[in-house]
mmCIF file of all heavy atoms in Angstrom:
data_model
loop_
_atom_site.group_PDB
_atom_site.id
_atom_site.type_symbol
_atom_site.label_atom_id
_atom_site.label_comp_id
_atom_site.label_asym_id
_atom_site.label_seq_id
_atom_site.Cartn_x
_atom_site.Cartn_y
_atom_site.Cartn_z
ATOM 1 N N LEU T 338 -73.667 -43.945 -73.722
ATOM 2 C CA LEU T 338 -74.361 -45.233 -73.745
ATOM 3 C C LEU T 338 -74.047 -46.040 -75.001
ATOM 4 O O LEU T 338 -74.454 -47.204 -75.108
ATOM 5 C CB LEU T 338 -75.875 -45.006 -73.663
ATOM 6 C CG LEU T 338 -76.404 -44.536 -72.305
ATOM 7 C CD1 LEU T 338 -77.825 -43.996 -72.434
ATOM 8 C CD2 LEU T 338 -76.358 -45.669 -71.284
ATOM 9 N N ASP T 339 -73.352 -45.407 -75.959
ATOM 10 C CA ASP T 339 -73.037 -46.045 -77.241
ATOM 11 C C ASP T 339 -74.318 -46.545 -77.911
ATOM 12 O O ASP T 339 -74.452 -47.711 -78.281
ATOM 13 C CB ASP T 339 -72.064 -47.208 -77.053
ATOM 14 C CG ASP T 339 -71.499 -47.709 -78.383
ATOM 15 O OD1 ASP T 339 -71.525 -46.936 -79.361
ATOM 16 O OD2 ASP T 339 -71.049 -48.873 -78.432
ATOM 17 N N THR T 340 -75.265 -45.624 -78.066
ATOM 18 C CA THR T 340 -76.548 -45.976 -78.666
ATOM 19 C C THR T 340 -77.019 -44.835 -79.555
ATOM 20 O O THR T 340 -76.431 -43.746 -79.577
ATOM 21 C CB THR T 340 -77.602 -46.254 -77.574
ATOM 22 O OG1 THR T 340 -78.773 -46.807 -78.184
ATOM 23 C CG2 THR T 340 -77.987 -44.984 -76.836
ATOM 24 N N GLU T 341 -78.069 -45.088 -80.303
ATOM 25 C CA GLU T 341 -78.689 -44.043 -81.112
ATOM 26 C C GLU T 341 -79.505 -43.124 -80.212
ATOM 27 O O GLU T 341 -80.107 -43.569 -79.234
ATOM 28 C CB GLU T 341 -79.603 -44.663 -82.177
ATOM 29 C CG GLU T 341 -78.871 -45.504 -83.202
ATOM 30 C CD GLU T 341 -77.973 -44.666 -84.092
ATOM 31 O OE1 GLU T 341 -78.367 -43.515 -84.413
ATOM 32 O OE2 GLU T 341 -76.877 -45.141 -84.459
ATOM 33 N N ALA T 342 -79.529 -41.849 -80.565
ATOM 34 C CA ALA T 342 -80.284 -40.870 -79.778
ATOM 35 C C ALA T 342 -81.746 -40.904 -80.181
ATOM 36 O O ALA T 342 -82.299 -39.955 -80.739
ATOM 37 C CB ALA T 342 -79.700 -39.484 -79.970
ATOM 38 N N THR T 343 -82.383 -42.038 -79.894
ATOM 39 C CA THR T 343 -83.788 -42.252 -80.229
ATOM 40 C C THR T 343 -84.480 -42.895 -79.040
ATOM 41 O O THR T 343 -83.832 -43.400 -78.108
ATOM 42 C CB THR T 343 -83.935 -43.180 -81.444
ATOM 43 O OG1 THR T 343 -83.365 -44.460 -81.110
ATOM 44 C CG2 THR T 343 -83.214 -42.614 -82.666
ATOM 45 N N VAL T 344 -85.801 -42.900 -79.088
ATOM 46 C CA VAL T 344 -86.560 -43.587 -78.038
ATOM 47 C C VAL T 344 -86.178 -45.057 -77.997
ATOM 48 O O VAL T 344 -85.951 -45.629 -76.923
ATOM 49 C CB VAL T 344 -88.078 -43.422 -78.271
ATOM 50 C CG1 VAL T 344 -88.866 -44.307 -77.305
ATOM 51 C CG2 VAL T 344 -88.494 -41.971 -78.121
ATOM 52 N N ALA T 345 -86.080 -45.676 -79.161
ATOM 53 C CA ALA T 345 -85.713 -47.099 -79.202
ATOM 54 C C ALA T 345 -84.334 -47.319 -78.602
ATOM 55 O O ALA T 345 -84.110 -48.293 -77.864
ATOM 56 C CB ALA T 345 -85.754 -47.608 -80.646
ATOM 57 N N GLY T 346 -83.404 -46.430 -78.914
ATOM 58 C CA GLY T 346 -82.055 -46.590 -78.382
ATOM 59 C C GLY T 346 -82.006 -46.462 -76.878
ATOM 60 O O GLY T 346 -81.455 -47.326 -76.178
ATOM 61 N N PHE T 347 -82.583 -45.405 -76.322
ATOM 62 C CA PHE T 347 -82.521 -45.192 -74.874
ATOM 63 C C PHE T 347 -83.380 -46.206 -74.112
ATOM 64 O O PHE T 347 -83.087 -46.535 -72.961
ATOM 65 C CB PHE T 347 -82.968 -43.766 -74.537
ATOM 66 C CG PHE T 347 -81.965 -42.713 -74.903
ATOM 67 C CD1 PHE T 347 -82.253 -41.765 -75.888
ATOM 68 C CD2 PHE T 347 -80.721 -42.668 -74.281
ATOM 69 C CE1 PHE T 347 -81.324 -40.794 -76.232
ATOM 70 C CE2 PHE T 347 -79.781 -41.689 -74.623
ATOM 71 C CZ PHE T 347 -80.084 -40.765 -75.610
ATOM 72 N N SER T 348 -84.447 -46.718 -74.759
ATOM 73 C CA SER T 348 -85.357 -47.621 -74.055
ATOM 74 C C SER T 348 -84.746 -48.975 -73.750
ATOM 75 O O SER T 348 -85.276 -49.722 -72.906
ATOM 76 C CB SER T 348 -86.642 -47.820 -74.876
ATOM 77 O OG SER T 348 -87.356 -46.617 -74.982
ATOM 78 N N THR T 349 -83.640 -49.318 -74.407
ATOM 79 C CA THR T 349 -83.022 -50.617 -74.151
ATOM 80 C C THR T 349 -82.268 -50.647 -72.820
ATOM 81 O O THR T 349 -81.872 -51.721 -72.374
ATOM 82 C CB THR T 349 -82.043 -50.985 -75.278
ATOM 83 O OG1 THR T 349 -81.004 -50.006 -75.341
ATOM 84 C CG2 THR T 349 -82.771 -51.049 -76.618
ATOM 85 N N PHE T 350 -82.090 -49.505 -72.190
ATOM 86 C CA PHE T 350 -81.305 -49.438 -70.959
ATOM 87 C C PHE T 350 -82.207 -49.398 -69.738
ATOM 88 O O PHE T 350 -83.334 -48.889 -69.781
ATOM 89 C CB PHE T 350 -80.389 -48.206 -70.991
ATOM 90 C CG PHE T 350 -79.353 -48.277 -72.068
ATOM 91 C CD1 PHE T 350 -79.600 -47.742 -73.326
ATOM 92 C CD2 PHE T 350 -78.143 -48.917 -71.842
ATOM 93 C CE1 PHE T 350 -78.657 -47.819 -74.330
ATOM 94 C CE2 PHE T 350 -77.184 -49.000 -72.845
ATOM 95 C CZ PHE T 350 -77.445 -48.463 -74.092
ATOM 96 N N THR T 351 -81.698 -49.947 -68.655
ATOM 97 C CA THR T 351 -82.455 -49.980 -67.409
ATOM 98 C C THR T 351 -82.466 -48.593 -66.757
ATOM 99 O O THR T 351 -81.660 -47.722 -67.102
ATOM 100 C CB THR T 351 -81.850 -50.979 -66.420
ATOM 101 O OG1 THR T 351 -80.544 -50.501 -66.018
ATOM 102 C CG2 THR T 351 -81.725 -52.360 -67.035
ATOM 103 N N ASP T 352 -83.351 -48.439 -65.808
ATOM 104 C CA ASP T 352 -83.373 -47.186 -65.046
ATOM 105 C C ASP T 352 -82.015 -46.926 -64.411
ATOM 106 O O ASP T 352 -81.521 -45.793 -64.422
ATOM 107 C CB ASP T 352 -84.445 -47.241 -63.953
ATOM 108 C CG ASP T 352 -85.852 -47.149 -64.497
ATOM 109 O OD1 ASP T 352 -86.021 -46.929 -65.714
ATOM 110 O OD2 ASP T 352 -86.808 -47.302 -63.699
ATOM 111 N N SER T 353 -81.404 -47.957 -63.849
ATOM 112 C CA SER T 353 -80.104 -47.787 -63.185
ATOM 113 C C SER T 353 -79.045 -47.310 -64.156
ATOM 114 O O SER T 353 -78.228 -46.436 -63.832
ATOM 115 C CB SER T 353 -79.668 -49.104 -62.535
ATOM 116 O OG SER T 353 -80.520 -49.458 -61.476
ATOM 117 N N GLU T 354 -79.037 -47.869 -65.344
ATOM 118 C CA GLU T 354 -78.044 -47.472 -66.340
ATOM 119 C C GLU T 354 -78.272 -46.021 -66.782
ATOM 120 O O GLU T 354 -77.316 -45.259 -66.969
ATOM 121 C CB GLU T 354 -78.106 -48.412 -67.542
ATOM 122 C CG GLU T 354 -77.588 -49.817 -67.231
ATOM 123 C CD GLU T 354 -77.895 -50.817 -68.321
ATOM 124 O OE1 GLU T 354 -78.951 -50.695 -68.975
ATOM 125 O OE2 GLU T 354 -77.074 -51.733 -68.546
ATOM 126 N N LEU T 355 -79.519 -45.632 -66.939
ATOM 127 C CA LEU T 355 -79.812 -44.260 -67.342
ATOM 128 C C LEU T 355 -79.464 -43.271 -66.238
ATOM 129 O O LEU T 355 -78.963 -42.180 -66.512
ATOM 130 C CB LEU T 355 -81.287 -44.141 -67.722
ATOM 131 C CG LEU T 355 -81.718 -44.940 -68.961
ATOM 132 C CD1 LEU T 355 -83.224 -44.830 -69.163
ATOM 133 C CD2 LEU T 355 -80.974 -44.470 -70.207
ATOM 134 N N VAL T 356 -79.713 -43.649 -64.999
ATOM 135 C CA VAL T 356 -79.346 -42.790 -63.873
ATOM 136 C C VAL T 356 -77.830 -42.628 -63.801
ATOM 137 O O VAL T 356 -77.309 -41.526 -63.579
ATOM 138 C CB VAL T 356 -79.900 -43.359 -62.557
ATOM 139 C CG1 VAL T 356 -79.243 -42.697 -61.345
ATOM 140 C CG2 VAL T 356 -81.412 -43.176 -62.496
ATOM 141 N N ASP T 357 -77.112 -43.720 -63.997
ATOM 142 C CA ASP T 357 -75.654 -43.663 -63.939
ATOM 143 C C ASP T 357 -75.100 -42.723 -65.006
ATOM 144 O O ASP T 357 -74.228 -41.886 -64.726
ATOM 145 C CB ASP T 357 -75.072 -45.066 -64.125
ATOM 146 C CG ASP T 357 -73.552 -45.046 -64.171
ATOM 147 O OD1 ASP T 357 -72.935 -44.705 -63.148
ATOM 148 O OD2 ASP T 357 -72.979 -45.352 -65.241
ATOM 149 N N VAL T 358 -75.593 -42.837 -66.220
ATOM 150 C CA VAL T 358 -75.111 -41.969 -67.285
ATOM 151 C C VAL T 358 -75.543 -40.526 -67.028
ATOM 152 O O VAL T 358 -74.773 -39.586 -67.279
ATOM 153 C CB VAL T 358 -75.622 -42.471 -68.647
ATOM 154 C CG1 VAL T 358 -75.429 -41.411 -69.724
ATOM 155 C CG2 VAL T 358 -74.879 -43.738 -69.032
ATOM 156 N N GLY T 359 -76.747 -40.343 -66.512
ATOM 157 C CA GLY T 359 -77.198 -38.992 -66.210
ATOM 158 C C GLY T 359 -76.279 -38.271 -65.251
ATOM 159 O O GLY T 359 -76.031 -37.066 -65.387
ATOM 160 N N SER T 360 -75.735 -39.016 -64.290
ATOM 161 C CA SER T 360 -74.832 -38.406 -63.315
ATOM 162 C C SER T 360 -73.462 -38.099 -63.909
ATOM 163 O O SER T 360 -72.668 -37.375 -63.309
ATOM 164 C CB SER T 360 -74.673 -39.318 -62.096
ATOM 165 O OG SER T 360 -74.047 -40.543 -62.456
ATOM 166 N N ARG T 361 -73.179 -38.627 -65.106
ATOM 167 C CA ARG T 361 -71.895 -38.389 -65.767
ATOM 168 C C ARG T 361 -71.977 -37.294 -66.825
ATOM 169 O O ARG T 361 -70.988 -36.992 -67.489
ATOM 170 C CB ARG T 361 -71.404 -39.688 -66.408
ATOM 171 C CG ARG T 361 -71.053 -40.765 -65.378
ATOM 172 C CD ARG T 361 -71.035 -42.155 -66.000
ATOM 173 N NE ARG T 361 -70.130 -42.245 -67.146
ATOM 174 C CZ ARG T 361 -70.163 -43.243 -68.027
ATOM 175 N NH1 ARG T 361 -71.076 -44.200 -67.913
ATOM 176 N NH2 ARG T 361 -69.295 -43.264 -69.022
ATOM 177 N N LEU T 362 -73.133 -36.673 -66.951
ATOM 178 C CA LEU T 362 -73.303 -35.612 -67.938
ATOM 179 C C LEU T 362 -72.861 -34.281 -67.351
ATOM 180 O O LEU T 362 -73.646 -33.356 -67.133
ATOM 181 C CB LEU T 362 -74.763 -35.542 -68.392
ATOM 182 C CG LEU T 362 -75.267 -36.747 -69.200
ATOM 183 C CD1 LEU T 362 -76.764 -36.656 -69.429
ATOM 184 C CD2 LEU T 362 -74.528 -36.839 -70.538
ATOM 185 N N THR T 363 -71.584 -34.194 -67.089
ATOM 186 C CA THR T 363 -71.020 -32.972 -66.522
ATOM 187 C C THR T 363 -70.026 -32.367 -67.506
ATOM 188 O O THR T 363 -69.486 -33.056 -68.379
ATOM 189 C CB THR T 363 -70.306 -33.272 -65.201
ATOM 190 O OG1 THR T 363 -69.280 -34.254 -65.437
ATOM 191 C CG2 THR T 363 -71.281 -33.814 -64.161
ATOM 192 N N GLY T 364 -69.797 -31.096 -67.350
ATOM 193 C CA GLY T 364 -68.792 -30.427 -68.167
ATOM 194 C C GLY T 364 -69.198 -30.131 -69.593
ATOM 195 O O GLY T 364 -68.355 -29.784 -70.425
ATOM 196 N N ILE T 365 -70.507 -30.265 -69.919
ATOM 197 C CA ILE T 365 -70.962 -29.954 -71.278
ATOM 198 C C ILE T 365 -71.086 -28.440 -71.425
ATOM 199 O O ILE T 365 -71.730 -27.780 -70.612
ATOM 200 C CB ILE T 365 -72.323 -30.627 -71.561
ATOM 201 C CG1 ILE T 365 -72.233 -32.140 -71.339
ATOM 202 C CG2 ILE T 365 -72.788 -30.328 -72.981
ATOM 203 C CD1 ILE T 365 -73.572 -32.848 -71.433
ATOM 204 N N ASP T 366 -70.471 -27.895 -72.446
ATOM 205 C CA ASP T 366 -70.562 -26.458 -72.690
ATOM 206 C C ASP T 366 -71.904 -26.173 -73.359
ATOM 207 O O ASP T 366 -72.140 -26.540 -74.504
ATOM 208 C CB ASP T 366 -69.409 -25.996 -73.582
ATOM 209 C CG ASP T 366 -69.394 -24.477 -73.764
ATOM 210 O OD1 ASP T 366 -70.291 -23.800 -73.217
ATOM 211 O OD2 ASP T 366 -68.488 -23.983 -74.453
ATOM 212 N N LEU T 367 -72.799 -25.513 -72.632
ATOM 213 C CA LEU T 367 -74.135 -25.235 -73.150
ATOM 214 C C LEU T 367 -74.304 -23.799 -73.630
ATOM 215 O O LEU T 367 -75.412 -23.373 -73.960
ATOM 216 C CB LEU T 367 -75.179 -25.550 -72.075
ATOM 217 C CG LEU T 367 -75.291 -27.020 -71.680
ATOM 218 C CD1 LEU T 367 -76.351 -27.216 -70.618
ATOM 219 C CD2 LEU T 367 -75.601 -27.890 -72.894
ATOM 220 N N ARG T 368 -73.215 -23.058 -73.665
ATOM 221 C CA ARG T 368 -73.315 -21.699 -74.187
ATOM 222 C C ARG T 368 -73.476 -21.741 -75.701
ATOM 223 O O ARG T 368 -72.774 -22.473 -76.400
ATOM 224 C CB ARG T 368 -72.078 -20.892 -73.807
ATOM 225 C CG ARG T 368 -72.000 -20.552 -72.326
ATOM 226 C CD ARG T 368 -70.694 -19.891 -71.969
ATOM 227 N NE ARG T 368 -69.567 -20.817 -72.112
ATOM 228 C CZ ARG T 368 -68.307 -20.513 -71.811
ATOM 229 N NH1 ARG T 368 -68.023 -19.296 -71.369
ATOM 230 N NH2 ARG T 368 -67.345 -21.402 -71.957
ATOM 231 N N THR T 369 -74.414 -20.942 -76.212
ATOM 232 C CA THR T 369 -74.655 -20.845 -77.651
ATOM 233 C C THR T 369 -74.559 -19.383 -78.063
ATOM 234 O O THR T 369 -74.362 -18.487 -77.234
ATOM 235 C CB THR T 369 -76.047 -21.390 -78.019
ATOM 236 O OG1 THR T 369 -77.053 -20.466 -77.541
ATOM 237 C CG2 THR T 369 -76.288 -22.763 -77.404
ATOM 238 N N ALA T 370 -74.740 -19.151 -79.355
ATOM 239 C CA ALA T 370 -74.713 -17.774 -79.845
ATOM 240 C C ALA T 370 -75.853 -16.954 -79.265
ATOM 241 O O ALA T 370 -75.767 -15.726 -79.167
ATOM 242 C CB ALA T 370 -74.783 -17.769 -81.371
ATOM 243 N N GLU T 371 -76.933 -17.635 -78.849
ATOM 244 C CA GLU T 371 -78.122 -16.932 -78.364
ATOM 245 C C GLU T 371 -78.253 -16.951 -76.852
ATOM 246 O O GLU T 371 -78.865 -16.050 -76.273
ATOM 247 C CB GLU T 371 -79.378 -17.564 -78.987
ATOM 248 C CG GLU T 371 -79.417 -17.503 -80.499
ATOM 249 C CD GLU T 371 -79.497 -16.078 -81.016
ATOM 250 O OE1 GLU T 371 -80.098 -15.227 -80.323
ATOM 251 O OE2 GLU T 371 -78.946 -15.805 -82.105
ATOM 252 N N ARG T 372 -77.705 -17.982 -76.190
ATOM 253 C CA ARG T 372 -77.981 -18.148 -74.776
ATOM 254 C C ARG T 372 -76.742 -18.586 -73.997
ATOM 255 O O ARG T 372 -75.884 -19.307 -74.520
ATOM 256 C CB ARG T 372 -79.072 -19.206 -74.548
ATOM 257 C CG ARG T 372 -80.441 -18.835 -75.072
ATOM 258 C CD ARG T 372 -81.471 -19.834 -74.612
ATOM 259 N NE ARG T 372 -82.794 -19.561 -75.161
ATOM 260 C CZ ARG T 372 -83.882 -20.234 -74.845
ATOM 261 N NH1 ARG T 372 -83.813 -21.237 -73.997
ATOM 262 N NH2 ARG T 372 -85.053 -19.926 -75.379
ATOM 263 N N PHE T 373 -76.705 -18.175 -72.729
ATOM 264 C CA PHE T 373 -75.776 -18.748 -71.776
ATOM 265 C C PHE T 373 -76.428 -19.968 -71.140
ATOM 266 O O PHE T 373 -77.618 -20.221 -71.321
ATOM 267 C CB PHE T 373 -75.405 -17.724 -70.696
ATOM 268 C CG PHE T 373 -74.469 -16.649 -71.180
ATOM 269 C CD1 PHE T 373 -74.948 -15.503 -71.792
ATOM 270 C CD2 PHE T 373 -73.098 -16.799 -71.033
ATOM 271 C CE1 PHE T 373 -74.099 -14.521 -72.250
ATOM 272 C CE2 PHE T 373 -72.223 -15.825 -71.488
ATOM 273 C CZ PHE T 373 -72.728 -14.681 -72.093
ATOM 274 N N ASP T 374 -75.652 -20.739 -70.389
ATOM 275 C CA ASP T 374 -76.195 -21.872 -69.647
ATOM 276 C C ASP T 374 -76.934 -21.315 -68.437
ATOM 277 O O ASP T 374 -76.319 -20.780 -67.514
ATOM 278 C CB ASP T 374 -75.051 -22.794 -69.204
ATOM 279 C CG ASP T 374 -75.534 -23.985 -68.382
ATOM 280 O OD1 ASP T 374 -76.734 -24.066 -68.065
ATOM 281 O OD2 ASP T 374 -74.685 -24.836 -68.031
ATOM 282 N N PRO T 375 -78.269 -21.423 -68.373
ATOM 283 C CA PRO T 375 -79.006 -20.816 -67.269
ATOM 284 C C PRO T 375 -78.746 -21.478 -65.931
ATOM 285 O O PRO T 375 -79.017 -20.875 -64.882
ATOM 286 C CB PRO T 375 -80.468 -20.976 -67.698
ATOM 287 C CG PRO T 375 -80.475 -22.159 -68.599
ATOM 288 C CD PRO T 375 -79.164 -22.102 -69.327
ATOM 289 N N LEU T 376 -78.223 -22.706 -65.930
ATOM 290 C CA LEU T 376 -77.936 -23.412 -64.686
ATOM 291 C C LEU T 376 -76.451 -23.400 -64.353
ATOM 292 O O LEU T 376 -76.020 -24.053 -63.396
ATOM 293 C CB LEU T 376 -78.462 -24.851 -64.749
ATOM 294 C CG LEU T 376 -79.971 -24.972 -65.024
ATOM 295 C CD1 LEU T 376 -80.411 -26.421 -64.952
ATOM 296 C CD2 LEU T 376 -80.774 -24.131 -64.052
ATOM 297 N N VAL T 377 -75.653 -22.697 -65.131
ATOM 298 C CA VAL T 377 -74.224 -22.474 -64.856
ATOM 299 C C VAL T 377 -73.503 -23.785 -64.554
ATOM 300 O O VAL T 377 -72.669 -23.863 -63.654
ATOM 301 C CB VAL T 377 -74.039 -21.465 -63.699
ATOM 302 C CG1 VAL T 377 -72.621 -20.893 -63.721
ATOM 303 C CG2 VAL T 377 -75.034 -20.315 -63.775
ATOM 304 N N GLY T 378 -73.858 -24.833 -65.263
ATOM 305 C CA GLY T 378 -73.182 -26.104 -65.118
ATOM 306 C C GLY T 378 -73.608 -26.945 -63.937
ATOM 307 O O GLY T 378 -73.073 -28.039 -63.746
ATOM 308 N N LEU T 379 -74.569 -26.493 -63.156
ATOM 309 C CA LEU T 379 -74.992 -27.263 -61.979
ATOM 310 C C LEU T 379 -75.843 -28.458 -62.346
ATOM 311 O O LEU T 379 -75.965 -29.401 -61.567
ATOM 312 C CB LEU T 379 -75.758 -26.360 -61.003
ATOM 313 C CG LEU T 379 -74.930 -25.268 -60.320
ATOM 314 C CD1 LEU T 379 -75.821 -24.425 -59.424
ATOM 315 C CD2 LEU T 379 -73.791 -25.876 -59.507
ATOM 316 N N SER T 380 -76.470 -28.446 -63.506
ATOM 317 C CA SER T 380 -77.279 -29.572 -63.954
ATOM 318 C C SER T 380 -77.269 -29.604 -65.469
ATOM 319 O O SER T 380 -77.220 -28.554 -66.129
ATOM 320 C CB SER T 380 -78.721 -29.458 -63.444
ATOM 321 O OG SER T 380 -79.526 -30.523 -63.947
ATOM 322 N N ALA T 381 -77.326 -30.819 -66.015
ATOM 323 C CA ALA T 381 -77.405 -30.972 -67.471
ATOM 324 C C ALA T 381 -78.842 -31.038 -67.950
ATOM 325 O O ALA T 381 -79.091 -31.303 -69.134
ATOM 326 C CB ALA T 381 -76.664 -32.238 -67.896
ATOM 327 N N PHE T 382 -79.791 -30.798 -67.047
ATOM 328 C CA PHE T 382 -81.198 -30.921 -67.405
ATOM 329 C C PHE T 382 -81.972 -29.694 -66.955
ATOM 330 O O PHE T 382 -81.688 -29.097 -65.917
ATOM 331 C CB PHE T 382 -81.819 -32.166 -66.766
ATOM 332 C CG PHE T 382 -81.161 -33.447 -67.180
ATOM 333 C CD1 PHE T 382 -80.207 -34.034 -66.370
ATOM 334 C CD2 PHE T 382 -81.475 -34.047 -68.383
ATOM 335 C CE1 PHE T 382 -79.583 -35.210 -66.751
ATOM 336 C CE2 PHE T 382 -80.851 -35.218 -68.778
ATOM 337 C CZ PHE T 382 -79.900 -35.804 -67.960
#
């Protein structure tokens, strides 16, 4: 979204814009030293 990761930053976008970006949050590696990705990449949330 090219914005700050804050409430103020995300609040400037419409629901449609947030939904569109949400659907593009794929391929993020969520494995950490402590945990695997519990959703195995099926959802970013």
